[in-house]
Amino acid sequence: MTAAPLLSVKGLVKHFPVKKGVLQQTVGQVRAVDGVSFDIASGETLGLVGESGCGKSTVGKTILKLIDPTAGEVWLGGARIDGLSKGAMRPYRRQLQVVFQDPYSSLNPRLTVRGIVAEPLKNFGVAAGHELEKQVRELIEKVGLRAEALDRYPHEFSGGQRQRIGIARALALRPSLIVCDEPVSALDVSVQAQVINLLVDLQRDFGLSYLFIAHDIAVIEHISHRVAVMYLGKIVELADRAALFARPQHPYTEALLSAVPLPDPEVERKRIILKGDVPSPIDPPSGCRFRTRCPLAFDRCAKEEPPIREIFPGHHVACHLREPAALH
């Protein structure tokens, strides 16, 4: 019997109203997330990748209930949380934490590192006194910082060190799931690798699950167990990491992978250049949303939206060119 997923997202929708005029009348909707579904198992990392503006960060914020969904369901540990009030949501905050993109603006500049890491522990009454000090020291050392960092302020650290402080804060309540919202995109490449390796080590030590959001598919390949590819508010491909990188099935995924540099300069990769710009999420194309930029689009793509279907075991894709019966 398969274990129930730690996180289950079903048909998640988030639309933002577009208002104009003196009376601020709603004249349209930004369809930021438009029917996204996926599961994350205990101890698993799901990488969520796509271009800027595709809705991936909105997915993370909606799961965290930093913004409320328009429709859909979010289940955490077998309990539905998408409709909970702030008070009812409080017990689940311990299980669900976040590491933000900008390691400076996400830290309170008026608090020392000790205060930043201790805040969630005090807020939930987890520890006090000597036990609080002990836990804060252990957390700081666990993320690779020295104890003398505790009395310093965020502006005294580099970007990579600040992100380590943010990770220590997220780890303080021993969550089961951490949403990592582009946690390395603001860091130098060499520091990115250090932070990613730290996250992998922490996952092993604490049994963590991650929703890892990024626009860099090379970073996603390094850390993820499974990968979901988003385009204009929808998931177009979802598969095991090895399967997705070995045999991508969606034309958009193929284009993303063609842009990843190869370590061997002798090996040439045919670059797929997508024509045009990403359409507006206020007025997405009819049928398949990728069709306006897809080199393989045909008549059916404009008329009928492709459902996301399993074409190989565990490999799901939303494309009219991929028929399950033909590929099994």
Side-chain angles (χ1 to χ4, degrees), residues 138-206:
E138 287 176 351
L139 285 163
I140 280 298
E141 289 170 0
K142 195 71 182 173
V143 298
L145 295 175
R146 296 181 178 179
E148 51 258 39
L150 289 169
D151 294 314
R152 292 160 62 190
Y153 290 86
H155 73 270
E156 299 179 68
F157 295 92
S158 67
Q161 289 171 324
R162 286 197 290 261
Q163 197 60 289
R164 288 172 186 268
I165 297 165
I167 292 169
R169 179 181 60 186
L171 201 63
L173 295 171
R174 299 295 190 267
S176 50
L177 175 71
I178 297 179
V179 175
C180 301
D181 187 7
E182 305 226 25
V184 297
S185 64
L187 307 177
D188 292 339
V189 174
S190 60
V191 180
Q192 286 184 11
Q194 295 171 19
V195 172
I196 290 170
N197 289 335
L198 171 64
L199 290 169
V200 171
D201 291 342
L202 293 174
Q203 182 173 51
R204 183 190 62 237
D205 295 344
F206 293 95

Side-chain angles (χ1 to χ4, degrees), residues 51 231-232 234 236 250-253 273-280 283-306 318-321:
E51 290 172 283
Y231 184 81
L232 208 61
K234 289 184 175 287
V236 296
H250 197 280
Y252 179 59
T253 311
I273 306 295
L274 297 177
K275 59 184 180 182
D277 297 320
V278 180
S280 169
D283 185 24
S286 63
C288 174
R289 296 189 174 190
F290 184 59
R291 69 174 176 81
T292 56
R293 303 173 72 200
C294 180
L296 306 175
F298 59 106
D299 290 346
R300 184 183 175 190
C301 301
K303 299 171 185 174
E304 185 183 333
E305 184 176 337
C319 182
H320 290 309
L321 293 169

Side-chain angles (χ1 to χ4, degrees), residues 48-54 56-57 98-103 163 179-187 192 195 199 211-216 219-220:
L48 188 59
V49 65
E51 290 172 283
S52 295
C54 72
K56 56 190 186 295
S57 289
V98 59
V99 177
F100 292 101
Q101 177 177 0
D102 186 344
Q163 197 60 289
V179 175
C180 301
D181 187 7
E182 305 226 25
V184 297
S185 64
L187 307 177
Q192 286 184 11
V195 172
L199 290 169
L211 173 62
F212 194 95
I213 299 165
H215 62 265
D216 187 337
V219 169
I220 288 287

